[in-house]
Each structure stands twice: as C-alpha cells, then as structure tokens.
C-alpha cells in the first residue's frame, strides 16, 4: 500500500493515471501531453509500473501502457475507513430507538381507539 500511495502522491503520475483510464497510450503519447522531458515521463511511468498501477507491453519499438486499478483497492479501502464514521453502531442504535418509539406510538394510538 505504501508503494501505491507514494506512486500516486505526485501530480504528474496522477494525471498519467487519469489519461490511461480512458485508453492505453504509448510512452511518447503520454510524454507529448506534458511540458517535461521524455526521460522524466519514463521515470514516472517506471514508478507507476513498479507500484503495479500500469502495465506495459511491447508494440514494436514502442511501449504501450495500460492502467491496472487492482493495487488501488487496498488503498481505497483504507481511505474509506477514514472518511466513514468509526462504525455503524450509532446509526443502528438510532434506528432501533426509532423503531421502538414507532411501535410504542402505534400501541398507544390503538389502545386509545379501543377505549373511545
């Protein structure tokens, strides 16, 4: 998870992942969309590949990169734990209280109707 988090920490690498989300691209196509050198893009692609976030295949002399979101699952689960409340317990408690209140109100109104 640390390697994946480190790989996506850089804004250029995040942009590369977004580009690859739509379609596989060659290293040259990726480099052509940035104002930085091709060797710098190659280093970014290597970091993403080493983290398992992209796969590359040879197409003649070119390397074609595709996105692999599998390594993001563990990180997404961990991040989800930060953004969700620390448990559903308090929500279930509130639901249980509401159910009991509703039942009590129904019993009371039914009892009042029979008495009238």
């Amino acid at each position: 998870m640390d390697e994946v988090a480190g790989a996506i920490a850089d804004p250029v690498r995040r942009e590369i992942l977004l580009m690859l989300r739509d379609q596989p691209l060659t290293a040259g196509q990726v480099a052509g969309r940035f104002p930085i050198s091709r060797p710098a893009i190659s280093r970014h692609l290597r970091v993403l590949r080493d983290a398992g976030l992209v796969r590359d295949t040879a197409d003649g002399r070119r390397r074609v990169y595709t996105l692999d979101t599998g390594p993001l699952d563990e990180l997404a689960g961990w991040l989800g734990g930060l953004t969700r409340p620390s448990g559903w317990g308090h929500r279930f408690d509130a639901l249980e209280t509401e159910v009991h209140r509703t039942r009590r109100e129904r019993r009371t109104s039914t009892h009042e109707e029979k008495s009238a």
Side-chain angles (χ1 to χ4, degrees):
M1 182 171 72
D2 290 342
E3 190 173 16
V4 172
I8 64 172
D10 185 278
V12 170
R13 291 193 286 266
R14 288 194 306 268
E15 185 63 29
I16 291 170
L17 293 174
L18 289 173
M19 291 165 46
L20 294 174
R21 175 186 58 189
D22 298 327
Q23 63 185 339
L25 296 170
T26 65
Q29 289 171 315
V30 172
R33 298 184 186 187
F34 290 97
I36 57 179
S37 69
R38 283 181 180 242
I41 291 297
S42 291
R43 286 189 294 276
H44 285 298
L45 288 167
R46 186 176 331 113
V47 169
L48 292 171
R49 187 184 64 229
D50 291 347
L53 292 166
V54 299
R55 286 178 277 130
D56 63 329
T57 55
D59 181 19
R61 294 180 58 199
R62 303 178 312 162
R63 305 296 305 168
V64 178
Y65 290 86
T66 56
L67 178 64
D68 183 354
T69 59
L72 293 172
D73 292 341
E74 182 183 358
L75 182 60
W78 185 83
L79 290 170
L82 290 177
T83 59
R84 287 189 298 271
S86 62
W88 284 87
H90 69 282
R91 292 184 179 168
F92 287 131
D93 290 343
L95 177 60
E96 183 179 27
T97 300
E98 185 63 24
V99 167
H100 287 298
R101 185 187 63 77
T102 303
R103 286 180 182 165
R104 191 171 44 248
E105 287 177 1
R106 284 184 183 165
R107 274 188 259 133
T108 302
S109 68
T110 303
H111 180 62
E112 290 173 0
E113 289 174 8
K114 289 181 181 179
S115 297

